[in-house]
Amino acid sequence: MSNGAIKGNGQSISPLAHKPSKQTINTSVPLTVTPASAISPSATSSISSPTNTSLQSSPEGPRGRNHPPHQQQPTPLTLPESNFTSPPVLSPNAMSEAIALSKGPGLMRRISRGAANRLTRRRQSSTTLSHRDHSSGPVIMRKRSGSKNGGETDLGSLDVGIDGDDDAISELSCPLYGLGLSGDGVSSIPGTPSRKPSQCDVGDTPDVPRLLTRGMTLTKVSRKKRKQLHFVLDANAGKVTWNPTNPSKRLYIDDIQQIRLQGDAKNYREEFQVSSDLESRWFTIIYADQDRAKGRPVKTMHLVAPDQNSFELWTSTLDRLAEHRQSMMLGIAGSQQDEKTLQGHWKREMSKLFGKATHLPEAEILDLAGIERVLQGLHINVSKTIVRAQFEKVDISNTGHLDFDGFKVLVRWLKSRTDIKRIFKTIIGNNPDGLDCDSFLAFLRQTQGIDVDASATHWQKVFHKLVRKSNSSSPTMTEAIEDDSPLMNFEAFSAFLTSDYNPTLTSRPTTEKLDRPLNEYFISSSHNTYLLGRQLAGSSSTEAYYRALQNGCRCVEIDCWDGQDGKPIVMHGRTMTTSVLFSDCISVIGRYAFDKSPYPLILSLEVHCNAEQQQVMVEIMKKELGDRLLLEALMTNVFHLPSPEELQHRILVKVKYAEDTVDRDSGVDIPVGRRQRSASSPFVRPQILDNTFIANGPLLSSPPSMSPPENASPWGVSRGSTAATSMSSATDDSDTAQGGTLRPNKATATPRQKSKITRNLGDLGIYTRSLKFHDFNQPESKAYNHVFSLAERTLENLCRDPESKAQLEKHNQRYLMRVYPSAFRMRSTNFDPLAFWRRGAQMVALNWQTYDLGMQLNEAMFANGSDQSGYVLKPEELRRPSRFMDLDGSGSGPAKIQKKQILFSVDMISAQQLPRARGSKISDSLNPYVEIEMFSAEDKAKGVAFGEGGQDASARNGMSGIGAPHKRRTAVVPSNGYNPVWDDKFNLKLETKYPSLVFVRWSVWDSQDGRNYNNGNGEPIATFTAKLSSLEQGYRHLPLFDQNGEKFLFSTLFCKIRKEEPITVERLADPIAEKVGRFRQIGQAVFKRTLSVERRGSKDEWRCSKDERRGSINPEKMFPQKLP
């Protein structure tokens, strides 16, 4: 790769303190598109050349994408072979070097990936793929921010904008602007201007240039080869194909997340060593293949257009189509029924039937089969029996077909919300005309739990705006506020419940500042951030850093190894993962570091480079990050960590210190005064803080373990390496003494060794200096700015000993700690972060590429309000020093935390437009049921959590706590995935020391036979996880997410949530804890298995009878005080 990775087109990138500016694309490109229907047969020859297309440019020519001012006749695309031939990157150990000399890596990676795919999913047939061709739009929300916060649903997008005028509200009928083309390319970043089309009429299908429907030759660029392929755009099917004989060679427009143009895709172009001359015609498509990419949700396709006009055609047309298809689905989402949108769907179906043939308007009718086909395209997954019944009701003349007016009536009946109507009738009481303003405010105060008095004027405006919106004859805004007569009808009330005015998570603004020291916050952290897939044979990409930063991550990991030509690379060492340049990673980090959050970003460096390449790393970071890179302490003679407020827009480096030698016998890594420290280092005057609360007891130890140590390989020692090959490169530099918690025996201790970290790199660790863990009594563990990094099993071993656990929790009150997944998680799964948050660990690093339960809990932790900044203040019980004082104040031992009783209830009312299960056929019916799980940070024991309602699906032995949530199920609704109604009520009770660490997860499952619970070998079709303290009360529509963490466009769960304030409880005896043997611990770590009693709820099939749904708990004893 050329030096362009650092300097680009021969120009130096100035390290500014702010985000690099982007040149905004002219969103109204002066191009005239002739509809395909208007092209006569005689005009065929006029479009045979890219320069003579149906797309006619204005006299000024195309603008906005860095064109040369005077562009001449485009020349055929030529890609010199010398520019693309890159030498193979050798792996850092002898075994990988031997493999790299053959074709082994590609073969092994394909075998590993193929075996995993066969075990976890069923390959789609071409028939299943063809069903997507009939889809009218996406089911996944392509959001510009990528967040999952507050007002998750966009069902009421027509009703937002309280303080705006009517014109501003009406413009929101097209709330999303396709793929957000902006700047040098597409961006999904808040605050970046998006490419809004000049006209936004969801009822009209965008004109598609005939040149694209006929096909065009583009150059597809990959890591291994460059190939010219014939790409064809099928607008009706919403897809792009490049091999008509292979149906899998296609890309659906609904799957596109972003299109990055030119400079925004620079890192990919430089990674593939493509000349900068082609930058103006380069575009990268980021897409998610939901059907074929489980575990790897993100894919990329890199294309080079033959000329500038072709580049404009493809990027602009794809953007317009993506916007149109998403707007078409939003127009009928929830209870909305925009007539223009329905007309657009109807026209689309008529165009399939008649094409360009002339026909009378009376001929535009559909029979029952046609109506079913249209509903399937709209993702209305309702049984054929219901459709037939509604069809016969509308077809009062028994003609056997419906016109457009009949189609509108049918859709309105299907979309009617009987559940909301029932609630509305209960609220209005004896006033059949609707709710007045006072009654609406009382509903907000009593049922929704809103402090109306704090913003009464605001909610009055909301009321009048909703009333006026539902009735075009209502008075103006001013008159409506002065008049007490307006009443809220059912349509306005339903619009409120499905709008952003009624969010699921707390969205009220907060004035709280993050002014406590860093060690008092949970920090959103990532492990092996660079990986898109599994840690043994996945792909490394800068895209992973972009996605993590856009989702609020504040601590990213960079594993650095020696690369060729003196250029450090990032990869998972001693594995078959691919690599990416360190400079590319830092460039992306520097560009997007503070787009989501202004608070400090921590770069956790794991360094395996030689001294020369370490110096290159320092130079790259200083150049790309500029003034944002923290090079010295903010204040001198201050020996506590600064706050996130003080470190806004600063980047911290977590790295080991530089030392001449390391004495592994001493258990101390830096003897005081050993080295001459730089003036910029905060260690000029080492300060030992008062740590009398840390006992000077015996050395930490753990019970004998039959499992290998953290840095041992299950494959044995490689003959070509001087050290054991680790399953995770993180364990080689894990800041943990060998064996996790045991100090080396002096009889077998290794001699003093040279430190690998150079002084220039080590001096970057200002407030986050990595320190290898031996025990909590080593002198350097009293330095205020050290960080311990521990593997999950090491920390679990510490917690088995009461004294070690107490020292661990005391340590985490004042100092930073990072915890990362075990090396044995070969499929990049995640642990339960609650197990380590409750110990006060600030940086609980997870594999963000795997959206499992651990990652869902992590997202819920940082999901709402100020928590989206990536920093969450730890609960007081994990911060106050008085916790470790005895009752007499002596401080000789930890005091117990009093438990709190958590009591809340959930009325599981209904669901709306649920998605189909992965791999299901279009003819398969959906038989949904919902599981509600309550997670806590308590040790697994009996008597921790209780519940009533539905069916108890918890562990049969009554255990609940870490790894065993209390779980209950609704009934199964057969053959109705569109609007199932349960009306099941659940009361849940929990006793915990950590009330702020209680989470609730809703999972939607599909019963195979419509009667039994059988989710043992499958996965939920949708989930939603939330922190209990973040949930709003009252009637709420919960958003749903798929297996990759993508939000469904219109699928929701409708619930009523009630909570009570936690109260202190006194227990005469502690719950009966579960005893866990060593063999079971090994089985859980390696095979992720649990006891049979815990798998009972997922392995057995339970008949959902009425008696079983009543539960076996006496409500009078369990819940003496019912929730209102």
Side-chain angles (χ1 to χ4, degrees):
M1 181 180 292
S2 64
N3 292 333
I6 299 178
K7 296 185 178 181
N9 301 324
Q11 298 178 356
S12 174
I13 300 176
S14 176
L16 300 176
H18 303 287
K19 182 177 66 176
S21 62
K22 298 183 180 181
Q23 182 179 1
T24 304
I25 292 180
N26 187 348
T27 59
S28 300
V29 180
L31 302 174
T32 303
V33 181
T34 304
S37 59
I39 300 178
S40 62
S42 61
T44 304
S45 60
S46 66
I47 60 172
S48 59
S49 170
T51 58
N52 296 321
T53 69
S54 60
L55 181 82
Q56 303 296 328
S57 62
S58 69
E60 297 178 11
R63 296 177 295 177
R65 286 182 170 82
N66 302 336
H67 313 305
H70 301 288
Q71 186 174 356
Q72 300 178 357
Q73 182 75 11
T75 57
L77 177 65
T78 57
L79 300 178
E81 188 65 28
S82 59
N83 290 342
F84 294 110
T85 305
S86 59
V89 179
L90 300 182
S91 300
N93 65 356
M95 179 178 180
S96 298
E97 290 175 2
I99 296 176
L101 297 178
S102 64
K103 297 182 179 180
L107 178 62
M108 292 295 293
R109 190 176 294 112
R110 288 194 298 270
I111 293 175
S112 173
R113 196 173 293 153
N117 289 341
R118 291 187 183 93
L119 290 174
T120 57
R121 64 177 172 85
R122 181 177 62 185
R123 192 175 186 87
Q124 276 199 324
S125 64
S126 59
T127 304
T128 305
L129 294 177
S130 66
H131 287 307
R132 289 202 61 183
D133 297 351
H134 301 290
S135 173
S136 298
V139 296
I140 298 295
M141 170 68 74
R142 301 303 178 196
K143 296 196 300 182
R144 295 176 57 207
S145 65
S147 66
K148 301 177 178 65
N149 59 326
E152 300 85 349
T153 66
D154 288 316
L155 303 180
S157 59
L158 297 179
D159 303 317
V160 297
I162 298 174
D163 299 323
D165 53 18
D166 288 338
D167 295 336
I169 298 174
S170 62
E171 289 177 1
L172 292 174
S173 59
C174 293
L176 299 174
Y177 304 130
L179 306 172
L181 289 169
S182 63
D184 288 335
V186 170
S187 176
S188 65
I189 302 157
T192 302
S194 62
R195 183 188 182 279
K196 181 177 178 179
S198 57
Q199 293 182 350
C200 186
D201 191 347
V202 296
D204 296 333
T205 302
D207 294 322
V208 178
R210 190 174 180 182
L211 182 61
L212 302 187
T213 60
R214 284 188 161 191
M216 180 186 297
T217 299
L218 302 176
T219 301
K220 186 173 181 288
V221 182
S222 64
R223 189 180 298 272
K224 296 182 180 179
K225 59 184 178 180
R226 285 70 180 150
K227 194 173 182 180
Q228 290 192 339
L229 300 171
H230 191 68
F231 286 79
V232 178
L233 174 61
D234 186 346
N236 286 330
K239 67 179 180 180
V240 179
T241 60
W242 53 92
N243 187 345
T245 62
N246 188 348
S248 65
K249 300 298 183 181
R250 82 307 180 245
L251 168 64
Y252 283 100
I253 295 176
D254 295 340
D255 292 335
I256 298 178
Q257 296 180 344
Q258 290 180 336
I259 302 180
R260 296 190 191 157
L261 315 178
Q262 303 166 338
D264 273 1
K266 176 182 176 182
N267 58 300
Y268 287 114
R269 180 183 57 76
E270 292 182 341
E271 179 182 350
F272 299 148
Q273 298 189 3
V274 176
S275 171
S276 60
D277 296 337
L278 302 178
E279 181 173 289
S280 63
R281 290 177 278 157
W282 176 291
F283 60 103
T284 295
I285 300 177
I286 312 294
Y287 66 101
D289 193 336
Q290 302 295 330
D291 298 320
R292 298 186 298 164
K294 181 183 176 183
R296 187 190 172 193
V298 180
K299 288 188 176 182
T300 57
M301 179 184 294
H302 313 285
L303 300 172
V304 181
D307 56 79
Q308 205 64 44
N309 277 345
S310 301
F311 172 84
E312 292 284 348
L313 274 176
W314 276 106
T315 55
S316 300
T317 303
L318 289 176
D319 183 55
R320 289 198 308 270
L321 283 176
E323 174 217 345
H324 171 75
R325 293 176 65 86
Q326 182 147 290
S327 298
M328 289 283 285
M329 301 310 297
L330 283 173
I332 61 170
S335 59
Q336 296 179 154
Q337 185 175 330
D338 181 69
E339 184 166 348
K340 287 185 178 180
T341 303
L342 284 179
Q343 185 71 42
H345 290 292
W346 183 263
K347 287 181 178 179
R348 179 176 181 267
E349 189 63 24
M350 293 301 105
S351 66
K352 292 180 181 179
L353 293 177
F354 298 101
K356 300 179 182 179
T358 304
H359 61 278
L360 297 175
E362 294 78 9
E364 294 188 352
I365 56 177
L366 289 176
D367 58 7
L368 178 60
I371 293 294
E372 291 176 346
R373 185 170 57 251
V374 175
L375 294 179
Q376 290 172 356
L378 298 178
H379 307 290
I380 298 179
N381 303 321
V382 65
S383 68
K384 292 184 177 181
T385 303
I386 297 178
V387 175
R388 184 181 298 107
Q390 297 297 332
F391 182 91
E392 292 174 353
K393 285 183 181 180
V394 178
D395 184 20
I396 57 178
S397 301
N398 295 325
T399 60
H401 58 259
L402 300 179
D403 57 9
F404 176 66
D405 291 334
F407 173 70
K408 285 195 302 182
V409 174
L410 175 66
V411 173
R412 184 173 67 249
W413 284 359
L414 289 175
K415 296 175 70 66
S416 62
R417 293 292 302 272
T418 57
D419 50 351
I420 297 182
K421 284 183 179 179
R422 186 172 62 250
I423 297 170
F424 183 70
K425 290 180 180 180
T426 303
I427 296 174
I428 61 176
N430 298 325
N431 188 356
D433 296 329
L435 287 173
D436 58 20
C437 187
D438 291 338
S439 300
F440 176 71
L441 297 181
F443 166 75
L444 297 181
R445 187 182 298 107
Q446 299 169 7
T447 304
Q448 302 300 96
I450 297 176
D451 185 6
V452 177
D453 298 332
S455 53
T457 304
H458 165 83
W459 289 111
Q460 289 173 2
K461 290 182 178 181
V462 171
F463 172 82
H464 290 289
K465 189 174 290 289
L466 292 169
V467 171
R468 183 179 56 184
K469 189 74 175 174
S470 65
N471 188 356
S472 59
S473 62
S474 295
T476 61
M477 187 68 176
T478 305
E479 294 174 349
I481 295 178
E482 296 176 354
D483 187 4
D484 295 332
S485 61
L487 295 177
M488 175 179 283
N489 59 18
F490 168 72
E491 286 73 18
F493 181 75
S494 178
F496 165 75
L497 290 182
T498 58
S499 71
D500 289 339
Y501 299 144
N502 191 45
T504 301
L505 302 181
T506 304
S507 59
R508 291 184 291 271
T510 176
T511 58
E512 178 185 359
K513 290 188 176 181
L514 308 185
D515 54 2
R516 302 296 303 166
L518 281 178
N519 53 282
E520 296 191 17
Y521 291 89
F522 294 127
I523 304 174
S524 180
S525 306
S526 169
H527 172 251
N528 289 349
T529 313
Y530 47 87
L531 287 180
L532 289 176
R534 293 172 289 116
Q535 64 175 342
L536 292 183
S539 299
S540 303
S541 174
T542 57
E543 183 66 27
Y545 288 100
Y546 170 83
R547 293 176 66 85
L549 293 173
Q550 289 301 298
N551 283 280
C553 184
R554 294 290 85 193
C555 177
V556 297
E557 184 178 16
I558 310 177
D559 293 353
C560 312
W561 298 81
D562 291 330
Q564 293 187 345
D565 301 327
K567 298 177 181 179
I569 60 174
V570 176
M571 65 175 297
H572 201 207
R574 306 186 180 112
T575 65
M576 292 178 291
T577 59
T578 61
S579 63
V580 63
L581 283 177
F582 177 80
S583 59
D584 288 345
C585 296
I586 297 299
S587 176
V588 171
I589 290 172
R591 185 166 189 173
Y592 302 109
F594 301 107
D595 284 340
K596 182 69 176 180
S597 170
Y599 294 105
L601 174 66
I602 301 173
L603 307 184
S604 180
L605 298 185
E606 182 183 313
V607 183
H608 303 270
C609 299
N610 57 34
E612 291 76 12
Q613 297 206 17
Q614 288 186 43
Q615 182 59 35
V616 174
M617 291 170 54
V618 174
E619 294 172 357
I620 291 174
M621 287 189 287
K622 289 183 176 180
K623 180 176 182 178
E624 296 289 342
L625 305 180
D627 295 339
R628 296 170 295 177
L629 180 64
L630 191 68
L631 299 177
E632 59 184 11
L634 299 180
M635 299 180 64
T636 58
N637 299 323
V638 175
F639 300 100
H640 62 78
L641 292 174
S643 69
E645 291 287 345
E646 296 171 317
L647 291 170
Q648 284 196 53
H649 295 99
R650 305 308 295 266
I651 297 178
L652 282 61
V653 177
K654 173 185 168 295
V655 64
K656 289 185 177 180
Y657 59 89
E659 184 57 38
D660 295 334
T661 57
V662 177
D663 189 351
R664 295 197 174 185
D665 287 354
S666 64
V668 178
D669 287 343
I670 308 181
V672 177
R674 173 67 61 86
R675 57 169 281 199
Q676 298 293 327
R677 307 191 184 277
S678 64
S680 63
S681 171
F683 305 112
V684 175
R685 299 173 57 186
Q687 177 77 12
I688 305 300
L689 302 180
D690 180 13
N691 285 275
T692 54
F693 66 87
I694 297 183
N696 295 318
L699 300 178
L700 302 180
S701 61
S702 62
S705 174
M706 298 190 64
S707 58
E710 285 295 330
N711 59 350
S713 169
W715 312 115
V717 180
S718 170
R719 298 193 178 202
S721 177
T722 58
T725 301
S726 173
M727 290 296 298
S728 170
S729 62
T731 59
D732 185 68
D733 195 38
S734 62
D735 303 352
T736 308
Q738 185 176 6
T741 59
L742 297 175
R743 290 186 61 184
N745 190 315
K746 293 204 174 200
T748 60
T750 58
R752 294 168 62 166
Q753 299 179 356
K754 292 285 185 181
S755 173
K756 298 184 299 182
I757 307 301
T758 62
R759 184 164 300 176
N760 286 341
L761 181 58
D763 285 346
L764 296 180
I766 307 300
Y767 292 119
T768 48
R769 187 194 69 178
S770 292
L771 183 65
K772 183 172 287 293
F773 174 76
H774 294 276
D775 58 50
F776 294 108
N777 296 317
Q778 59 193 89
E780 291 304 320
S781 69
K782 311 302 186 296
Y784 75 98
N785 53 0
H786 80 273
V787 182
F788 280 144
S789 288
L790 304 179
E792 59 170 302
R793 294 175 59 201
T794 301
L795 195 144
E796 289 172 351
N797 290 336
L798 283 172
C799 294
R800 291 193 181 98
D801 178 65
E803 183 179 359
S804 301
K805 181 174 68 174
Q807 291 181 336
L808 168 72
E809 294 175 350
K810 294 171 188 176
H811 170 275
N812 291 343
Q813 280 200 333
R814 289 193 174 183
Y815 313 113
L816 292 174
M817 176 173 288
R818 179 177 180 268
V819 185
Y820 57 88
S822 168
F824 292 97
R825 295 184 178 272
M826 293 176 285
R827 295 182 60 82
S828 296
T829 57
N830 289 302
F831 49 67
D832 187 346
L834 288 169
F836 307 113
W837 284 331
R838 65 173 178 169
R839 304 304 176 200
Q842 295 85 1
M843 292 173 279
V844 179
L846 299 177
N847 295 309
W848 282 44
Q849 71 271 31
T850 306
Y851 192 70
D852 53 9
L853 174 61
M855 192 59 202
Q856 293 169 28
L857 293 172
N858 186 78
E859 284 197 351
M861 169 65 83
F862 301 95
N864 75 295
S866 61
D867 297 347
Q868 297 177 77
S869 66
Y871 287 84
V872 173
L873 187 66
K874 294 196 289 187
E876 184 180 1
E877 57 268 18
L878 297 180
R879 293 185 289 120
R880 65 175 188 267
S882 60
R883 170 188 170 188
F884 297 98
M885 297 294 180
D886 284 342
L887 297 179
D888 59 0
S890 63
S892 59
K896 283 190 175 182
I897 304 176
Q898 288 186 317
K899 286 193 173 184
K900 303 283 186 177
Q901 182 184 87
I902 307 297
L903 188 64
F904 69 102
S905 69
V906 176
D907 292 356
M908 191 64 249
I909 301 173
S910 63
Q912 293 72 47
Q913 211 159 341
L914 295 175
R916 292 189 179 276
R918 182 191 296 269
S920 63
K921 299 179 182 179
I922 196 70
S923 59
D924 292 346
S925 61
L926 186 63
N927 310 301
Y929 63 94
V930 179
E931 284 186 352
I932 299 179
E933 299 168 278
M934 179 173 57
F935 299 87
S936 69
E938 293 298 312
D939 287 320
K940 192 184 300 183
K942 292 183 178 180
V944 173
F946 309 92
E948 67 168 346
Q951 186 203 30
D952 188 359
S954 306
R956 183 178 296 173
N957 59 1
M959 294 287 180
S960 59
I962 293 289
H966 184 77
K967 185 187 306 183
R968 307 197 79 82
R969 290 172 176 156
T970 67
V972 176
V973 176
S975 302
N976 187 1
Y978 181 68
N979 55 358
V981 176
W982 290 283
D983 281 333
D984 282 350
K985 302 180 183 298
F986 301 93
N987 292 319
L988 301 172
K989 178 181 177 182
L990 172 70
E991 293 182 1
T992 177
K993 295 177 288 187
Y994 315 99
S996 62
L997 296 180
V998 177
F999 292 77
V1000 185
R1001 181 170 79 154
W1002 286 260
S1003 301
V1004 182
W1005 295 83
D1006 180 24
S1007 172
Q1008 296 299 314
D1009 57 9
R1011 296 176 298 171
N1012 301 320
Y1013 301 116
N1014 49 322
N1015 56 345
N1017 298 322
E1019 56 189 9
I1021 60 178
T1023 60
F1024 172 68
T1025 308
K1027 189 164 50 176
L1028 181 61
S1029 59
S1030 299
L1031 281 171
E1032 291 279 16
Q1033 296 193 76
Y1035 294 101
R1036 307 286 170 172
H1037 284 86
L1038 313 183
L1040 292 174
F1041 298 87
D1042 70 356
Q1043 293 85 351
N1044 294 322
E1046 298 284 349
K1047 177 189 165 186
F1048 288 107
L1049 189 65
F1050 34 63
S1051 302
T1052 58
L1053 294 177
F1054 186 44
C1055 303
K1056 183 180 181 182
I1057 301 170
R1058 291 160 292 182
K1059 302 187 294 183
E1060 285 190 355
E1061 290 295 327
I1063 58 175
T1064 304
V1065 295
E1066 298 289 343
R1067 295 184 63 93
L1068 299 178
D1070 291 332
I1072 303 175
E1074 180 191 40
K1075 295 182 179 180
V1076 182
R1078 293 297 299 172
F1079 283 103
R1080 185 193 170 200
Q1081 296 170 20
I1082 297 173
Q1084 288 177 337
V1086 179
F1087 303 106
K1088 301 181 289 297
R1089 291 180 177 175
T1090 57
L1091 291 177
S1092 59
V1093 293
E1094 298 174 22
R1095 300 196 304 270
R1096 184 267 310 165
S1098 60
K1099 285 292 183 182
D1100 297 343
E1101 292 189 351
W1102 294 87
R1103 186 63 179 263
C1104 188
S1105 65
K1106 185 175 182 180
D1107 292 336
E1108 290 173 328
R1109 294 197 302 270
R1110 293 175 179 171
S1112 58
I1113 300 176
N1114 188 340
E1116 298 298 330
K1117 295 181 179 180
M1118 278 293 308
F1119 302 95
Q1121 295 180 350
K1122 292 289 185 178
L1123 287 170

